[in-house]
Amino acid sequence: MKKFMLDLIIKKNEVLNDQYSLLILSSSEKLPEMLPGQFAEVRVDNSPTTFLRRPISINYVDYEANELWLLIQIVGDGTKKMCELKAGNTLNLVFPLGNTFTFPENKDAKILLVGGGVGIAPLLFWGSYLKERGYNCNFVLGGRSKENLLQLCEFERFGNVYTTTEDGSHGEKGFVTQHSLLKASNFDYIFTCGPTPMMKAVAAYATQTKAFCEVSLENTMACGFGACLCCVTDTTEGHLCVCTEGPVFNITKLKWQI
Amino acid sequence: MANLNINIGKLQLKNPVMTASGTFGYGPEFSDFFDVSRIGGIFVKGTTLRDRQGNAYPRMAETPSGMLNAVGLQNKGVDYFINHILPTVKDIDTNIIVNVSGSTINDYIETAEKLNSIEKIPAIELNISCPNVKEGGMAFGTSCLSAAQVVKEVRRAYQKELIVKLSPNVTDISEIALAVEAEGADSVSLINTLLGMAIDSEKRKPVLSTITGGLSGPAVKPIALRMVWQVANSVKIPVIGMGGIMNAADAIEFLLAGASAIQIGTANFIDPTVAIKVLDGINEYLDRHGFQSVTEIIGALEV
Ligand SMILES: Cc1cc2nc3c(=O)[nH]c(=O)nc-3n(C[C@H](O)[C@H](O)[C@H](O)COP(=O)(O)OP(=O)(O)OC[C@H]3O[C@@H](n4cnc5c(N)ncnc54)[C@H](O)[C@@H]3O)c2cc1C
Ligand SMILES: Cc1cc2nc3c(=O)[nH]c(=O)nc-3n(C[C@H](O)[C@H](O)[C@H](O)COP(=O)(O)O)c2cc1C
Ligand code: FES
């Protein structure tokens, strides 16, 4: 898939709360094709302490409106400056990067998408893709508190949405892997993105229940397109770059202690 | 338009802009962004006799105006390079130069011998300056004696252009440059990364799995420039300069300091088209100042 470096225009910066923003980007030209799971390397121009680009998942693509969405959580100066951008500003992206999720073999497959915190970002695009192609999805989305649950209305367009919060402020109290849905049903396909301990717990559940399971990793990166070998994860095939061989990996390939 | 051709010993370059080892993959990684055949050369990832997995993750830490890396020469070995990677880059119409690393002198010799007969590879860059491996690497490049010894042995096994890449982690880099020149190096390239360190104070832990790593990017540029100037004033063989080059002005500074050509490293991560911008910028500079050839500005610093 051809990669581009483009200046996109901020159509809207939707401030979700003091920690998260949704950047809606557009371009005067037609956006290139992108796949769920892929990410962009974003240049942050107005932050003197941000030297390298920042990897950010493709949250959603609306080809008709020619829109690309990025969901950003503020963790440091790079993400803070991205969240301060205003409509009309430009943002330089290198994209689309990385691989994609695997399509389930049959349309009646029972599919579970589990997201934690800002890790829900790639799952919205993936959910929209699955829905468009006639699959039914269940989303279990978790966060520390209700402020960390994002885009719930968007997710509801693409499947059944269940939530958990650690403080019980929304949905079931506890971690995503403790949700009653996981006890009540079995799934054929599980896709997950979020903090590593959460993904490991989901991977353990998938292994126990013999489900096919893919996780999306967030290793720190310098380039994002296979040039530096900084982003590796240990796999059954040795060290592989998360930016080119991933970010999506089948759990059977990862050398995780779960 | 000025003439950009330049020779580094036996190596003919269509222009002095090249990309640094470990920062440009093997070339095809960048072909979506620009026609990589336009640049003077591509230095591919550090290549060793046998397959190396490199160091454990995390291998990278961002620093003020730069980064630390501790990749540790991950590569599939020279045979894999020759049999599987070379066929994929053979149509790139520029110099493909292999950066050769090793743990022992024998590793260097055997790897160089294997590359000597490969027509597509006009030169090797002997990496005696990698700070990220336990054995060999930088250990060879930080004493005149061991640097001279490895160059002497490889010189016997390798007939084409032999570039020796120097470490900045020394007291006097000119001494090392003179030592490798005396043993038959055709040219030198500098600088490799500077040994550095990053700490996560919240976790009270080092950021890198190897604790220390190699610093690159604009943070190192003044040091690199000083070293290129010192070495260019000491040796007679050509010097290839690098370290923190982000734009054409940076590159021109290295040429003025005495480098016959330059390599761009870390900047490729931030702007994958930077090499072409540097090339166009050098062209524009030469025209603006009325130079007919890039050779007129090499070492043209007025002091
Ligand atoms: C493939 C991929 C997709 C991503 N998608 C998104 C996304 O859609 N939305 C989003 O908000 N973030 C995403 N991230 C994480 C995002 O890249 C980092 O949060 C960002 O680089 C931090 O930059 P900063 O300058 O704000 O913080 P920094 O000042 O660089 O760091 C602040 C703190 O965050 C930690 N941190 C930095 N980078 C990472 C990382 N990659 N993973 C975990 N912790 C990190 C640092 O250790 C530090 O403690 C993604 C990362 C990857 C690799
Ligand atoms: C991620 C990374 C990997 C590198 N790998 C190698 C290598 O394999 N061999 C080598 O000689 N130098 C290696 N280097 C050093 C660069 O080739 C160059 O000497 C150095 O980065 C300084 O240039 P820069 O500041 O333009 O990056 C590496 C640098 C980086 C950042
Ligand atoms: S981030 Fe550079 S190879 Fe993955």
Side-chain angles (χ1 to χ4, degrees), chain B residues 48 50-55 72-77 103 132-135:
Chain B
T48 49
R50 273 174 271 280
D51 164 276
R52 279 184 64 97
Q53 280 296 307
N55 295 320
L73 300 174
Q74 178 174 333
N75 78 101
K76 292 193 166 155
S103 312
N132 294 323
V133 288
K134 282 206 191 76
E135 292 153 357

Side-chain angles (χ1 to χ4, degrees), chain A residues 1-5 49-54 94 219-223 225-232 238-239, chain B residues 22-25 29-30 32-33 53-55 57 59-60 62 66-67 71 74 218 266 268-273:
Chain A
M1 191 168 251
K2 190 170 156 67
K3 301 182 277 284
F4 297 85
M5 180 170 72
T49 54
T50 305
F51 174 64
L52 297 166
R53 287 175 180 264
R54 294 295 188 256
V94 171
N219 286 17
T220 49
M221 298 180 174
C223 71
F225 46 86
C228 73
L229 310 186
C230 286
C231 61
V232 294
H239 282 151
Chain B
T23 67
F24 206 71
E29 290 83 350
F30 287 77
D32 278 352
F33 301 111
Q53 280 296 307
N55 295 320
Y57 178 83
R59 294 176 169 186
M60 194 278 288
E62 191 182 40
M67 60 178 275
V71 172
Q74 178 174 333
T266 307
N268 294 306
F269 306 153
I270 293 144
D271 180 353
T273 66

Side-chain angles (χ1 to χ4, degrees), chain A residues 17-32:
Chain A
N17 58 45
D18 58 1
Q19 277 186 69
Y20 302 92
S21 265
L22 176 67
L23 296 180
I24 299 180
L25 308 175
S26 191
S27 166
S28 50
E29 277 160 58
K30 199 165 158 276
L31 288 170

Side-chain angles (χ1 to χ4, degrees), chain B:
Chain B
M1 200 177 118
N3 182 357
L4 292 172
N5 295 347
I6 181 104
N7 290 352
I8 305 282
K10 293 168 269 210
L11 184 67
Q12 297 180 344
L13 308 180
K14 59 179 117 178
N15 62 63
V17 178
M18 303 187 279
T19 50
S21 175
T23 67
F24 206 71
Y26 293 92
E29 290 83 350
F30 287 77
S31 56
D32 278 352
F33 301 111
F34 72 97
D35 176 7
V36 295
S37 294
R38 279 188 62 200
I39 57 177
I42 296 169
F43 287 72
V44 305
K45 178 69 199 163
T47 302
T48 49
L49 189 56
R50 273 174 271 280
D51 164 276
R52 279 184 64 97
Q53 280 296 307
N55 295 320
Y57 178 83
R59 294 176 169 186
M60 194 278 288
E62 191 182 40
T63 64
S65 297
M67 60 178 275
L68 287 160
N69 90 81
V71 172
L73 300 174
Q74 178 174 333
N75 78 101
K76 292 193 166 155
V78 65
D79 290 330
Y80 186 91
F81 171 78
I82 292 170
N83 297 324
H84 299 280
I85 300 175
L86 202 55
T88 67
V89 300
K90 70 175 192 323
D91 294 333
I92 299 179
D93 180 23
T94 188
N95 294 298
I96 308 279
I97 298 158
V98 180
N99 179 270
V100 171
S101 286
S103 312
T104 64
I105 292 195
N106 243 0
D107 289 356
Y108 281 103
I109 298 173
E110 274 189 61
T111 312
E113 266 172 355
K114 284 175 190 269
L115 291 164
N116 194 44
S117 55
I118 308 291
E119 204 188 328
K120 174 74 188 162
I121 309 295
I124 59 171
E125 181 180 50
L126 208 61
N127 178 3
I128 53 168
S129 43
C130 179
N132 294 323
V133 288
K134 282 206 191 76
E135 292 153 357
M138 194 172 88
F140 286 109
T142 46
S143 100
C144 289
L145 207 66
S146 54
Q149 200 188 354
V150 63
V151 172
K152 184 178 178 179
E153 299 286 338
V154 172
R155 182 70 286 178
R156 278 201 210 125
Y158 190 77
Q159 277 78 50
K160 292 191 264 183
E161 177 74 13
L162 176 62
I163 307 164
V164 179
K165 186 163 181 181
L166 304 180
S167 171
N169 302 301
V170 293
T171 316
D172 183 355
I173 196 164
S174 303
E175 257 182 22
I176 313 269
L178 286 165
V180 303
E181 179 183 40
E183 294 301 341
D186 295 313
S187 48
V188 287
S189 59
L190 62 148
I191 59 174
N192 207 319
T193 53
L194 278 146
L195 196 60
M197 180 168 170
I199 292 176
D200 183 332
S201 60
E202 290 300 317
K203 294 185 186 143
R204 291 184 288 283
K205 286 198 164 142
V207 178
L208 300 172
S209 69
T210 47
I211 306 177
T212 60
L215 183 65
S216 63
V220 310
K221 197 191 89 176
I223 300 170
L225 203 53
R226 182 264 294 177
M227 290 186 162
V228 164
W229 181 71
Q230 286 179 324
V231 170
N233 281 308
S234 310
V235 297
K236 293 187 188 67
I237 52 178
V239 175
I240 300 171
M242 79 194 92
I245 295 175
M246 297 297 285
N247 52 45
D250 293 340
I252 292 161
E253 291 172 26
F254 277 84
L255 298 174
L256 292 170
S260 297
I262 57 100
Q263 295 178 26
I264 303 171
T266 307
N268 294 306
F269 306 153
I270 293 144
D271 180 353
T273 66
V274 66
I276 267 327
K277 289 177 183 157
V278 168
L279 179 56
D280 292 343
I282 292 175
N283 234 324
E284 184 274 329
Y285 174 90
L286 295 173
D287 286 348
R288 186 156 47 82
H289 289 270
F291 293 111
Q292 304 300 309
S293 161
V294 68
T295 52
E296 292 170 53
I297 66 165
I298 292 166
L301 183 71
E302 297 170 16
V303 285

Side-chain angles (χ1 to χ4, degrees), chain A:
Chain A
M1 191 168 251
K2 190 170 156 67
K3 301 182 277 284
F4 297 85
M5 180 170 72
L6 297 174
D7 277 328
L8 299 187
I9 303 150
I10 312 256
K11 211 164 154 182
K12 194 170 169 195
N13 175 356
E14 221 176 288
V15 179
L16 304 179
N17 58 45
D18 58 1
Q19 277 186 69
Y20 302 92
S21 265
L22 176 67
L23 296 180
I24 299 180
L25 308 175
S26 191
S27 166
S28 50
E29 277 160 58
K30 199 165 158 276
L31 288 170
E33 196 199 333
M34 291 161 255
L35 296 172
Q38 290 191 302
F39 62 98
E41 278 281 2
V42 180
R43 199 181 71 208
V44 187
D45 291 332
N46 50 348
S47 165
T49 54
T50 305
F51 174 64
L52 297 166
R53 287 175 180 264
R54 294 295 188 256
I56 301 291
S57 304
I58 307 222
N59 177 226
Y60 184 67
V61 185
D62 184 335
Y63 291 107
E64 265 171 44
N66 206 37
E67 280 176 5
L68 162 57
W69 297 11
L70 301 178
L71 181 70
I72 318 277
Q73 178 182 22
I74 299 177
V75 299
D77 201 55
T79 47
K80 180 165 178 276
K81 294 292 155 61
M82 277 186 233
C83 289
E84 285 169 10
L85 290 164
K86 295 189 171 60
N89 290 158
T90 58
L91 196 60
N92 186 274
L93 267 61
V94 171
F95 74 112
L97 305 171
N99 66 354
T100 182
F101 297 102
T102 305
F103 271 111
E105 264 163 32
N106 62 65
K107 301 260 151 137
D108 339 302
K110 291 188 72 184
I111 305 172
L112 176 67
L113 280 68
V114 187
V118 81
I120 64 156
L123 300 182
L124 184 69
F125 191 22
W126 181 222
S128 77
Y129 234 66
L130 288 166
K131 168 89 181 177
E132 254 171 43
R133 285 157 183 76
Y135 295 91
N136 291 312
C137 296
N138 297 285
F139 299 96
V140 174
L141 308 174
R144 210 162 296 150
S145 178
K146 65 175 189 301
E147 290 76 42
N148 307 99
L149 293 174
L150 308 160
Q151 299 185 302
L152 294 181
C153 302
E154 303 294 343
F155 278 101
E156 271 159 13
R157 288 161 56 200
F158 308 125
N160 309 314
V161 177
Y162 307 87
T163 60
T164 65
T165 47
E166 284 167 46
D167 64 2
S169 56
H170 197 289
E172 291 185 16
K173 186 174 156 108
F175 297 119
V176 280
T177 41
Q178 293 165 334
H179 196 279
S180 54
L181 180 73
L182 275 65
K183 291 188 194 88
S185 326
N186 264 319
F187 296 92
D188 305 314
Y189 287 85
I190 302 177
F191 303 96
T192 183
C193 183
T196 307
M198 184 209 91
M199 289 198 285
K200 285 191 176 174
V202 174
Y205 168 78
T207 309
Q208 268 164 30
T209 58
K210 298 194 170 63
F212 173 98
C213 180
E214 285 179 339
V215 299
S216 181
L217 303 185
E218 292 200 347
N219 286 17
T220 49
M221 298 180 174
C223 71
F225 46 86
C228 73
L229 310 186
C230 286
C231 61
V232 294
T233 188
D234 206 10
T235 72
T236 52
E237 295 166 24
H239 282 151
L240 292 181
C241 284
V242 171
C243 71
T244 49
E245 307 285 333
V248 179
F249 288 93
N250 192 298
I251 54 165
T252 56
K253 206 167 172 178
L254 294 176
K255 283 203 178 160
W256 269 5
Q257 305 291 326
I258 47 177

